[in-house]
Structure formats: C-alpha cells, structure tokens
Amino acid sequence: MAATMQPEAVRPSMNGESDFSRAKWAYLDSFLSRPGAYSDPEMFVPGEIPVKSISESAQILVIGAGGLGCEILKNLALSGFRNIHVIDMDTIDVSNLNRQFLFRAKDVGKPKASVAAEFVMKRVPGCNITPFVGKIQDKDEAYYKQFNLVICGLDSIEARRWINATLIDMVDDEDPDSLKPLIDGGTEGFKGQSRVILPTMTSCIECQLDMHAPRAAVPLCTLATIPRQPQHCIEWAHIIKWEEERKDIQLDTDEPEHITWLYQKALSRAEEFGIQGVTYSMTQGVVKNIIPAIASTNAIIAASCCNEAFKLISSSAPSLGMPGTNNYMQYTGDAGVYTFTFEHQKKDDCPVCGNLPKDLTVDPEQTLEELIESFAARPESQLKKPTLKTEGKSLYFPYPPSLEEQTRPNLKRKMKDLLSNGEQLAVSDPAYPISFRYNVSFS
C-alpha cells in the first residue's frame, strides 16, 4: 500500500477531478514520481511535471481506428493521456468485429473513428478523444502542428509515406517545436513492427521502404492497354472506370454495391482479354488491400507504440527514437514470442529526408513504358501512377486525359531518344507529396 501512496503535490486535481477519482491513477503517479533504472537525471525530473505532461499538456494524434488503432486508443487512455485525436476514413464492417474490440454488431456501417472515440471516453471518464472521419490528406499543416507526436496504426504503405513526408516537410530548424515524432506500428499475421522516427534526424519511412515487399501494383499505362492478370482487370475497374463513370460518387470499399460494380466491370474486362480468375472476393481483397490480422499481434505492437509515446512525452526512459540508438522493433510471433531491436540507418540519398538525388541506371534501348513499369515494382519507389519529366520536357502524364493522350506516344520511344546520359529525371505520383529525383546514366 505504501508504494502507491503519493504526496498531494504529485496527485493534482485535473479537469475538476476529486481526490477520490484521481486515486485510480495512483499507479501512474507512482511511476512518474521516482527515477527509474534507465531514466536520465538531466532529462527526467520526477514529480508533478511529468504527470502533467501526460495528463494535461500532451496532444496525441492517432491515425487509424482499426485493429491497431483500437488497441492504441485504449492503451493511451489507460496510460493517463487525456487529449487525443483520431483520424480514420473507414466504416465498420462485420468482418472487423472479431478483433476490433471497440465495436459491436449495432455499430456496423458507422464511422470507426467516431464509434471508437465514444467507446473509450465512456469507459475512461476524463479522457477527451476528438474523431475526424476522413483522409489524412484532408488536413493541412496547421492541423498537424498542434500535436506533440503522431502514432500510426495503418495498413497502407501509401498513407504512411504521405504522413512521413508531411511531418518532415514541417520541420523548421529555427523552431524546435516543429519537429513531431512519428511512431509507426504495423502487423501482418503473427509478425509486427514498431518504430520511432524523429523527422530529419533519424531514418524515416522512405529510408526503410526497401524493407517492405512491393505491393502487387501495375502502372496506369499497363492497366489501360493490355492487362495480363486478373488483378490488372480489377485495378483497371478501380482506378480508371470508376473515375470515368462514377467520379461523382465517393468509392466506399465497405459498400457491397460498390464492390459488386467493380467486380462486374473487372469480369467484363477479363473476358475481353481472355483472362480467368476474377471473383468477388478477389475484387474485395485487391481494392481493400486486405492482409491477415490477428488480435494478439495487434495488442503486442500497440503496447510497444504506446510505451514509446509514454517515454517520449514523460522522458522517463530512453525511447527507440533517440539518434544513434536502436529505432526499430520487430516481433516474430510465427517463430515464438520473440522481439528484437536494431538501428535502421538514415540514407543520404533518401528522396524525403535526404538532400541528394538517387542514381538510376537504365538501358538506352529500353522503352519509356518499360521504365514506368519498373517503378511500380522498384522497392524504393513503388509508384502506381508516375508522372515523368525532365527540366526541359514532359515525358509522360497519366492524367488528365488530355495530357495522357499528348504524351502517350512517348511510351513506345526508347530512352536514348528521350533523355541524355547524365540528365536528371523527376518522378512524381499523386499519392505522395514529394517528387523522386534521379540522375540517369545509360548502361
């Protein structure tokens, strides 16, 4: 009992709480009122300051309210964080209920962010969670500047890359508060990882992109001309036909009617080119990029992410993100209950946090179309709708249709006819707020 009793000075009344209601946070006060084995005396001052940092000052943004996001929101609330925002654009599907424990059958069809926020606030009085139903791209830089750190529980590489580039672009060397740590968690089956990124200071998501297996993606020019696989037909229906025929309707991947429409268009496309294998379930899997998820893996990775958030805000222990230390934790539950950490190095030629363009060796006899196809599979880019241009001319624009038609003849031209040896090539994609720069050399 004595270990949990704290002086009044470190158990302040917050948001009008009585001493009795504050007693439920005695374990938190106990932890923050004394130094630990790994705490740095120059950074961690036990007592009221770290308690208030957690419960009053910290503003946390959680991106994603799915399998990982539900666990993260719960952990943050039970760790004493009071000011939390959550972003998610999805609605609740029946298939979510087996692992996304903040949702019930009556919630199917409702926005994940709103339902998750309401559930946690009801169970943890005093915790204020502000939901936003929409895309992370809908918010501007001023929105992200209000937070102390960002935690991602995403299943999309594209979204990770976007928020990574945005937070790096926000950093102002003359304003230390402009640096917002990014804690990223990810799971797939029995495997998972968490990492801490200090924008411009440590390795970023773009530096680590080659650790992710390239998604089965094909550039737009291939989808629009000659599909070779059933997935190509589905992506064609998803990316091209929906924009052409239903651009005024927001695609909802949880809406059966929308998936059925895409399936029928993809099936018709497949029959036209003699391709077998297009099914409704495959359509759903390709469009939603469905990956296997296990509740226990989500719980482990979310715990790691929230542990890092607690350490960063309170300074009570060294974080994974400290420059020059291990910044990447990996969990391999398929081989046993194993975790290990290592340092992922920052790359000088990273297109986001680095300053140098990458070197790109191409065959001068290669066509532009073949080069574009290679960008979809290239681990460091994984681009689906790349636009290519040099300082003096535009090589290919996949959109709008007028520019695509003008630049389409270049697809069949050889690289030696479009570029000079040593010329710089700029490659962009609508999914990312950056351009990839390459110094081209002929093999």
Side-chain angles (χ1 to χ4, degrees):
M1 176 67 77
T4 61
M5 295 296 291
Q6 299 302 317
E8 292 299 319
V10 299
R11 293 196 287 110
S13 177
M14 288 170 245
N15 299 324
E17 284 187 318
S18 65
D19 289 339
F20 177 77
S21 61
R22 183 60 194 164
K24 67 182 179 182
W25 303 108
Y27 68 91
L28 178 65
D29 294 352
S30 176
F31 182 81
L32 295 177
S33 65
R34 58 191 179 188
Y38 299 101
S39 58
D40 185 340
E42 295 184 4
M43 299 182 64
F44 178 63
V45 180
E48 186 174 350
I49 293 177
V51 170
K52 286 190 173 182
S53 295
I54 295 293
S55 58
E56 292 186 15
S57 306
Q59 296 269 357
I60 309 296
L61 173 63
V62 177
I63 301 179
L68 263 179
C70 285
E71 292 280 355
I72 290 170
L73 289 171
K74 175 261 294 180
N75 289 348
L76 290 176
L78 294 178
S79 297
F81 289 97
R82 303 297 186 86
N83 304 304
I84 305 169
H85 288 236
V86 58
I87 294 180
D88 198 297
M89 63 179 293
D90 289 340
T91 55
I92 299 165
D93 184 75
V94 173
S95 63
N96 302 146
L97 302 182
N98 72 324
R99 65 192 181 281
Q100 297 176 21
F101 63 95
L102 299 182
F103 310 137
R104 300 294 182 266
K106 64 181 176 59
D107 300 321
V108 170
K110 297 178 182 179
K112 288 184 177 181
S114 302
V115 175
E118 182 181 355
F119 190 103
V120 174
M121 287 191 292
K122 184 177 179 180
R123 293 294 293 271
V124 186
C127 180
N128 182 41
I129 302 179
T130 304
F132 173 72
V133 181
K135 299 179 179 180
I136 55 175
Q137 294 88 346
D138 295 339
K139 294 296 188 180
D140 58 14
E141 199 171 278
Y143 174 80
Y144 293 105
K145 282 184 177 179
Q146 68 180 302
F147 301 106
N148 296 94
L149 58 82
V150 178
I151 306 179
C152 284
L154 294 163
D155 58 4
S156 165
I157 299 298
E158 291 85 354
R160 282 185 172 97
R161 295 173 71 181
W162 189 91
I163 190 64
N164 174 73
T166 298
L167 295 181
I168 288 174
D169 192 52
M170 282 169 44
V171 176
D172 181 352
D173 292 338
E174 298 181 0
D175 180 14
D177 291 336
S178 65
L179 190 151
K180 311 297 181 182
L182 174 63
I183 302 173
D184 176 63
T187 67
E188 183 170 352
F190 286 102
K191 296 180 180 179
Q193 52 84 20
S194 66
R195 50 189 166 182
V196 178
I197 295 165
L198 301 181
T200 72
M201 295 180 63
T202 64
S203 167
C204 76
I205 285 178
E206 209 72 28
C207 293
Q208 304 166 9
L209 196 62
D210 53 3
M211 296 183 66
H212 297 275
R215 183 182 171 184
V218 183
L220 192 63
C221 54
T222 298
L223 301 179
T225 54
I226 304 177
R228 299 185 294 273
Q229 300 174 14
Q231 290 86 348
H232 297 175
C233 301
I234 296 169
E235 291 280 30
W236 171 84
H238 177 205
I239 296 171
I240 298 176
K241 294 307 288 183
W242 187 277
E243 284 294 314
E244 290 181 356
E245 300 183 16
R246 309 189 79 179
K247 61 182 179 181
D248 296 330
I249 302 174
Q250 176 67 44
L251 176 62
D252 182 357
T253 56
D254 291 316
E255 172 57 54
E257 187 274 328
H258 290 188
I259 297 296
T260 299
W261 188 91
L262 293 174
Y263 162 62
Q264 291 172 345
K265 289 292 180 181
L267 185 61
S268 175
R269 176 78 164 176
E271 291 173 349
E272 179 184 350
F273 287 89
I275 298 173
Q276 304 293 322
V278 174
T279 64
Y280 181 90
S281 60
M282 176 184 285
T283 303
Q284 192 175 41
V286 170
V287 172
K288 298 182 70 172
N289 191 26
I290 294 174
I291 58 175
I294 296 174
S296 57
T297 307
N298 287 337
I300 291 169
I301 298 304
S304 175
C305 291
C306 294
N307 189 36
E308 295 306 319
F310 189 92
K311 291 189 291 184
L312 283 168
I313 296 298
S314 68
S315 300
S316 56
S319 168
L320 274 178
M322 300 301 291
T325 64
N326 293 341
N327 55 15
Y328 198 108
M329 186 279 285
Q330 204 160 36
Y331 166 68
T332 53
D334 54 343
V337 187
Y338 297 119
T339 61
F340 57 94
T341 61
F342 61 91
E343 181 184 5
H344 201 289
Q345 298 289 332
K346 189 175 187 292
K347 293 183 177 180
D348 292 335
D349 62 350
C350 173
V352 176
C353 68
N355 299 314
L356 302 175
K358 283 182 172 289
D359 292 327
L360 178 66
T361 302
V362 301
D363 183 348
E365 299 296 324
Q366 183 182 38
T367 65
L368 179 62
E369 184 174 17
E370 291 171 335
L371 178 64
I372 291 175
E373 288 187 358
S374 74
F375 280 117
R378 192 181 293 271
E380 76 276 10
S381 56
Q382 301 182 30
L383 306 177
K384 188 180 291 187
K385 302 180 187 177
T387 294
L388 287 81
K389 57 184 178 181
T390 65
E391 186 175 346
K393 57 186 174 182
S394 300
L395 302 184
Y396 182 71
F397 279 77
Y399 60 92
S402 57
L403 284 178
E404 197 283 328
E405 186 176 355
Q406 291 178 24
T407 56
R408 189 185 304 161
N410 285 340
L411 293 174
K412 302 301 180 183
R413 298 181 64 185
K414 296 180 178 180
M415 295 308 300
K416 66 180 182 181
D417 300 325
L418 296 171
L419 290 174
S420 301
N421 192 25
E423 194 169 0
Q424 190 170 110
L425 177 68
V427 183
S428 59
D429 189 283
Y432 313 114
I434 58 170
S435 290
F436 299 86
R437 295 180 299 139
Y438 295 92
N439 289 327
V440 177
S441 61
F442 291 149
S443 59

